[in-house]
């Protein structure tokens, strides 16, 4: 998505400082260096468009293959859009500066708390506030359910940090037990080897949350459960049967909350529960070091968590010149292909952090399966249209970063 809004003073200062670092000590040679770098791209020109050679190579050789879009069509399209939109964008920014100058002058002439009536008159007469429009409706279509239908957490993460952004993509599912055990939700020491007493306390919190969202029939609670099993019915549907410490059995108060399972012997390996479009997975393994401590053999409670994540090129990142852009664009490309991975050290071992795949269970409603996304819905926040870049030039003029971002990230 393109963010067409004013950046904060802190953001503007951070980016201005970054630009200064690029040019300090080079004086007038900075512009000459840029022009020389752009002039070394013999095939990059489309009309008056000039493109950084490394950025062009990334687009031509890494981004576009497989899209069906030829490099010449891409650059011709960007050139056409910039020829049309860049002057209009500049005019809007100039108009914004005019309005800001009027507001600044008014505040200097009228210090202190503004008179509401006089201030409203200023905003209306300057055109800062437009007349109220008549009632209207906006109807959206084809919006992902994570945004249109289900209320859930959203992350914001800098797209230029591969490790961070892979973690954000994989945050669609998270361990409830880890979140309880490894934080100050519980008092006491959480460092060092696994502490069964602390683990039992974490299960206690998890049981209470399960009781709240997925209550059992009668007086039974999840802390009473000693086994989870699945009973198959005619037509391929299944029901969840829970054995209790008392020797009896219980079921979910709302059987429709049982969404799916992974069969196992003698009990299910995984039970998927759902409420209001969100899901919880109970993973069962009595041979696991955690499952061995739980009465029902539950080794983990996985919760559908961050439904979406903003992959940020602006507020939490600083992508200014072509080198910055190539890193950010490359990570976004890896995310869209599901291929982004990061080698890292963890616990003294070298591991490869990769993007999670989708997750599938046998459907409890009947023959077939239930598949849920293993990754957050990823949104790209491009740099706002108030920022300009020299990675692409239109003649001798820098162009709005947001337009370049939109073209590259949508390709």
């Amino acid at each position: 998505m393109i963010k067409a809004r004013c950046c904060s003073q802190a953001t503007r200062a951070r980016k201005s400082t970054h630009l200064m670092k690029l040019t300090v000590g080079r004086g007038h040679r900075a512009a000459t260096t840029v022009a020389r770098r752009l002039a070394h791209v013999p095939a990059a020109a489309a009309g008056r468009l000039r493109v950084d050679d490394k950025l062009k190579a990334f687009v031509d050789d890494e981004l576009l293959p497989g899209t069906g879009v030829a490099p010449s069509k891409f650059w011709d399209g960007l050139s056409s859009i910039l020829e049309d939109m860049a002057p209009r964008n500049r005019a809007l920014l100039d108009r914004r500066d005019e309005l800001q100058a009027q507001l600044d002058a008014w505040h200097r002439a009228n210090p202190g708390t503004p008179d509401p009536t006089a201030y409203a008159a200023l905003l209306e007469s300057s055109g800062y506030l437009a007349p109220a429009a008549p009632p209207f409706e906006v109807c959206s279509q084809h919006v992902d359910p994570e945004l249109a239908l289900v209320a859930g957490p959203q992350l914001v993460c800098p797209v230029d940090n591969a490790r961070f952004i892979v973690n954000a993509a994989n945050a669609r599912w998270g361990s409830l037990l880890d979140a309880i055990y490894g934080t100050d939700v519980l008092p006491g020491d959480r460092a060092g080897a696994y502490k069964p007493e602390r683990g039992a306390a974490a299960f206690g919190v998890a049981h209470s949350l399960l009781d709240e969202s997925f209550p059992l029939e009668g007086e039974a609670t999840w802390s009473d459960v000693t086994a989870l099993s699945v009973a198959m019915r005619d037509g391929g549907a299944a029901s969840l049967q829970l054995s209790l410490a008392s020797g009896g059995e219980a079921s979910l108060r709302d059987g429709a909350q049982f969404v799916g399972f992974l069969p196992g012997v003698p009990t299910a390996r995984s039970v998927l529960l759902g409420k209001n479009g969100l899901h919880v997975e109970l993973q069962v393994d009595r041979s696991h070091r955690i499952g061995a401590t739980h009465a029902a053999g539950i080794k983990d409670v996985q919760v559908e968590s961050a439904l979406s994540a903003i992959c940020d090129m602006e507020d939490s990142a600083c992508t200014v010149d072509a080198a910055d852009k190539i890193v950010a664009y490359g990570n976004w490309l890896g995310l869209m292909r599901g291929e982004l991975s990061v080698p890292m050290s963890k616990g003294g071992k070298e591991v490869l952090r990769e993007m999670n795949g989708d997750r599938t269970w046998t459907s409890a409603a009947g023959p077939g399966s239930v598949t849920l996304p293993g990754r957050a819905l990823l949104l790209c926040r491009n740099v706002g249209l108030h920022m300009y870049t020299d990675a692409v030039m239109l003649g001798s003029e820098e162009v709005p970063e947001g337009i370049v971002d939109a073209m590259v990230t949508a390709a």
Side-chain angles (χ1 to χ4, degrees), residues 46 62-63 94 109-110 185 189 195 228-229 261 312 354 380 389:
E62 298 183 44
L63 175 67
D94 290 344
N110 300 272
V185 170
D189 181 21
K195 299 173 177 62
L228 298 85
S229 59
F261 63 98
D312 193 12
E354 300 177 286
C380 185
T389 180

Side-chain angles (χ1 to χ4, degrees), residues 81-158:
I81 291 172
L82 289 171
E83 291 280 5
D84 178 36
M85 300 299 298
R88 297 162 64 182
N89 188 72
R90 174 59 67 189
L92 290 171
L93 292 177
D94 290 344
R95 174 58 177 155
R96 185 187 69 172
D97 289 343
E98 292 174 6
L99 291 172
Q100 188 62 60
Q102 292 182 50
L103 294 177
D104 292 345
W106 191 93
H107 281 286
R108 283 192 290 268
N110 300 272
T113 303
D115 173 69
T117 301
Y119 201 59
L122 166 70
L123 297 179
E124 292 172 357
S125 63
S126 65
Y128 188 96
L129 288 181
F136 63 92
E137 292 183 355
V138 175
C139 299
S140 58
Q141 294 181 342
H142 312 301
V143 179
D144 294 276
E146 290 91 339
L147 302 179
L149 302 176
V150 185
Q154 181 180 79
L155 301 179
V156 179
C157 187

Side-chain angles (χ1 to χ4, degrees), residues 361-383:
W361 296 261
T362 300
S363 174
S369 60
V370 174
T371 298
L372 295 176
R375 303 190 289 264
L377 175 69
L378 302 176
L379 310 172
C380 185
R381 176 157 63 189
N382 298 329
V383 171

Side-chain angles (χ1 to χ4, degrees), residues 7 53 133 135 153 189 197 244 246 251 262 283 301 335 347 370 403:
C7 67
D53 53 354
D189 181 21
E197 299 82 3
L244 304 177
S246 64
S251 300
L262 295 178
Q283 297 179 346
V301 180
L335 291 172
V370 174
I403 295 178

Side-chain angles (χ1 to χ4, degrees), residues 133-367:
F136 63 92
E137 292 183 355
V138 175
C139 299
S140 58
Q141 294 181 342
H142 312 301
V143 179
D144 294 276
E146 290 91 339
L147 302 179
L149 302 176
V150 185
Q154 181 180 79
L155 301 179
V156 179
C157 187
V159 74
D160 58 346
N161 187 310
R163 181 169 65 87
F164 285 6
I165 204 66
V166 169
N167 287 345
N170 289 344
R172 179 65 176 249
W173 292 88
S175 170
L176 177 61
L177 295 181
D178 284 352
I180 299 169
Y181 183 99
T183 66
D184 58 5
V185 170
L186 295 176
D189 181 21
R190 59 182 183 269
Y194 181 75
K195 299 173 177 62
E197 299 82 3
R198 187 175 180 85
F203 269 116
V205 177
H207 290 156
S208 297
L209 293 173
L210 290 172
D211 288 335
E212 181 180 343
S213 295
F214 306 100
L216 307 182
E217 291 179 332
E219 300 298 320
T221 66
W222 280 95
S223 61
D224 301 326
V225 176
T226 58
L228 298 85
S229 59
V230 175
M232 303 304 298
R233 303 196 303 264
D234 293 342
S239 61
L240 180 62
Q241 299 296 320
L242 306 172
S243 300
L244 304 177
S246 64
E249 289 190 343
S251 300
L252 290 168
R253 188 176 300 170
D254 180 2
Q257 289 186 320
F258 178 39
V259 177
F261 63 98
L262 295 178
V265 178
T267 60
R269 291 182 290 120
S270 168
V271 169
L272 182 67
L273 307 175
K275 181 178 181 180
N276 296 330
L278 294 172
H279 300 84
V280 170
E281 181 194 30
L282 307 179
Q283 297 179 346
V284 181
D285 183 357
R286 292 187 183 276
S287 65
H288 189 272
R289 67 185 181 95
I290 307 298
T293 69
H294 189 267
I298 296 176
K299 72 170 185 177
D300 201 4
V301 180
Q302 289 274 315
V303 179
E304 198 171 9
S305 303
L307 299 189
S308 60
I310 294 176
C311 305
D312 193 12
M313 295 194 186
E314 181 177 39
D315 287 346
S316 64
C318 191
T319 57
V320 177
D321 57 18
D324 300 330
K325 291 295 185 186
I326 291 170
V327 171
Y329 294 156
N331 287 347
W332 176 251
L333 179 61
L335 291 172
M336 293 298 95
R337 292 176 174 173
E339 299 172 349
L340 187 60
S341 61
V342 186
M344 57 178 293
S345 298
K346 185 175 183 180
K349 298 180 179 179
E350 294 297 318
V351 297
L352 186 66
R353 181 156 293 176
E354 300 177 286
M355 299 177 67
N356 293 336
D358 291 344
R359 308 173 72 157
T360 300
W361 296 261
T362 300
S363 174

